[in-house]
């Protein structure tokens, strides 16, 4: 069985190619992918060659951990059946290519415990569940505070703000240095850092992935305040110690989402509590993936690029 997939052969060497799929095991699902998202965080780092050593890393690789599709083959014991719509957080099912993360393909083979059943009505927005679950993981759980300042108004920053409001917490302030990304707020304020004089934030979530902003953030927290590193950082984290010492600053690193986060986020979306509207700004046929990836990584107006696999051979 073959599939059409995005293949990253090396830094900035990306194409669409035909790959052979590994044979499904007795309990595996075969899923025809309908839409997959392009991550401007980790995937951009693989594309640019800037990704630090990462488990399972190697070229050539099939990217993509934000995919939705339809089950076309399922064992009776899998709990799924043909026609079910599922969210697929990637797949490692390719002969001759690393499945990292492996969801950017027209067809994948995956274990049933890797996917999550979703409402078909979500359409392409279903691919956003990974980012929504990441935002939820950053915020939910013991000893975690809701953000009162979010840095960055990309998709992750917007989801953090929407989840904060959905939880009934006060609307956060959001910083965004790019004027083209300051629109689209739903019940919260977006401004440039220079417009904000406040210096008593107790919980700042950085969704920018920029290490340069950390010293400014230390100066913006109240005593005992927390800075949450919600982005992905390629360079060593550093900050001036004396201001952090005076503030008794706390730092927390947010990791990837869990299945519990995904289930909780899906419930929020399907109940209408969390909206995914307005986050997908660009779509492209999967056949034009090289141009789509380049635009996703270079165009500030592109919040989320979605590849359409429905017509892929």
């Amino acid at each position: 069985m073959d599939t059409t997939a995005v293949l990253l052969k090396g830094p900035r060497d990306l194409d669409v190619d035909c790959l052979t799929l590994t044979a499904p095991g007795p309990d595996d699902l075969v899923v025809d992918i309908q839409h997959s998202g392009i991550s401007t965080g980790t995937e951009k780092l693989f594309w640019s060659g800037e990704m630090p050593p990462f488990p399972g890393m190697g070229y050539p690789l099939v990217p993509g951990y934000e995919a939705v599709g339809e089950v076309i083959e399922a064992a009776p014991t899998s709990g799924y059946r043909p026609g079910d719509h599922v969210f697929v957080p990637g797949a490692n099912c390719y002969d001759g290519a690393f499945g990292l993360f492996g969801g950017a393909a027209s067809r994948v083979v995956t274990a049933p415990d890797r996917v999550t059943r979703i409402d078909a009505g979500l359409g392409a927005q279903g691919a956003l569940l990974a980012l929504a679950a990441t935002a939820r993981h950053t915020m939910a759980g013991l000893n975690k505070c809701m953000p009162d300042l979010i840095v960055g108004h990309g998709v992750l920053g917007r989801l953090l703000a929407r989840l904060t409001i959905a939880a009934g917490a006060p609307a956060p302030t959001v910083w965004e240095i790019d004027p083209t990304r300051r629109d689209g707020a739903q019940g919260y304020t977006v401004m440039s850092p220079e417009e904000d004089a406040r210096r008593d934030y107790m919980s700042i979530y950085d969704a920018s992935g920029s290490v340069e902003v950390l010293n400014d953030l230390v100066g913006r927290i109240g005593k005992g305040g927390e800075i949450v590193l919600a982005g992905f950082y390629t360079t060593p984290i550093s900050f001036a110690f004396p201001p952090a010492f005076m503030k008794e600053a706390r730092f927390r690193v947010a990791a990837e989402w869990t299945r519990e986060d995904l289930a909780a986020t899906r419930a929020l979306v399907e109940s209408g509590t969390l909206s995914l509207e307005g986050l997908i700004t660009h779509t492209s046929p999967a056949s034009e993936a090289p141009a789509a990836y380049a635009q996703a990584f270079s165009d500030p107006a592109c919040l989320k690029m979605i590849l359409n696999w429905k017509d892929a051979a």
Side-chain angles (χ1 to χ4, degrees):
M1 186 162 35
D2 293 336
T3 187
T4 303
V6 173
L7 189 64
L8 187 57
K9 302 172 185 177
R12 301 179 186 274
D13 184 5
L14 184 146
D15 208 344
V16 179
D17 211 338
C18 182
L19 296 174
T20 299
L21 290 169
T22 56
D27 297 320
D28 284 341
L29 305 178
V30 180
V31 181
D32 276 357
I33 300 300
Q34 297 174 340
H35 299 94
S36 67
I38 297 176
S39 163
T40 56
T42 50
E43 285 187 41
K44 180 179 180 180
L45 298 175
F46 283 116
W47 178 81
S48 66
E50 298 175 278
M51 175 61 81
F54 194 88
M57 182 176 176
Y59 298 104
L61 65 87
V62 178
Y65 57 87
E66 306 167 317
V68 288
E70 181 179 343
V71 176
I72 61 167
E73 293 182 23
T77 56
S78 68
Y80 292 87
R81 60 185 180 182
D84 284 346
H85 287 258
V86 292
F87 168 77
V88 184
N92 189 11
C93 57
Y94 307 100
D95 184 14
F98 290 91
L100 194 74
F101 299 91
S106 62
R107 178 171 291 176
V108 301
V109 176
T110 181
D113 60 0
R114 287 273 295 161
V115 307
T116 299
R117 187 180 284 103
I118 62 171
D119 185 340
L122 283 176
Q125 289 183 2
L128 298 173
L129 285 176
L131 271 173
T134 297
R136 193 262 181 185
H137 183 81
T138 303
M139 301 168 59
L142 295 174
N143 302 317
K144 294 182 180 179
C145 298
M146 292 289 175
D148 43 17
L149 173 63
I150 297 166
V151 181
H153 200 224
V155 176
L156 181 58
R158 293 170 196 238
L159 286 166
L160 287 167
R162 293 181 187 188
L163 282 168
T164 301
I165 293 171
T173 297
V174 178
W175 284 359
E176 176 54 60
I177 61 174
D178 189 331
T180 65
R181 290 195 166 198
R182 289 186 193 140
D183 60 356
Q186 297 187 0
Y188 55 90
T189 300
V190 183
M191 64 178 69
S192 69
E194 293 76 16
E195 296 176 292
D196 189 359
R198 185 173 169 184
R199 295 185 175 274
D200 61 350
Y201 289 110
M202 295 308 295
S203 186
I204 300 178
Y205 281 44
D206 176 51
S208 72
S210 170
V211 297
E212 288 78 12
V213 75
L214 291 182
N215 278 322
D216 189 13
L217 299 187
V218 170
R220 297 300 190 117
I221 59 173
K223 194 173 183 66
E226 176 186 59
I227 297 171
V228 180
L229 303 178
F232 195 93
Y233 305 83
T234 60
T235 55
I237 302 294
S238 64
F239 52 89
F241 183 74
F245 174 82
M246 297 298 294
K247 292 288 185 75
E248 296 190 54
R250 295 177 294 122
F251 293 83
R252 176 165 62 84
V253 175
E256 63 184 1
W257 54 270
T258 66
R259 288 193 63 84
E260 178 186 355
D261 297 309
L262 188 63
T265 303
R266 180 190 62 183
L268 289 172
V269 171
E270 293 182 350
S271 69
T273 304
L274 175 64
S275 170
L276 300 178
E277 293 290 338
L279 301 177
I280 296 173
T281 55
H282 293 70
T283 59
S284 170
S287 59
E288 299 176 14
Y293 272 78
Q295 182 178 11
F297 299 151
S298 63
D299 183 358
C302 183
L303 291 178
K304 175 57 67 175
M305 173 73 78
I306 294 288
L307 297 182
N308 184 346
W309 291 94
K310 290 183 179 181
D311 300 320

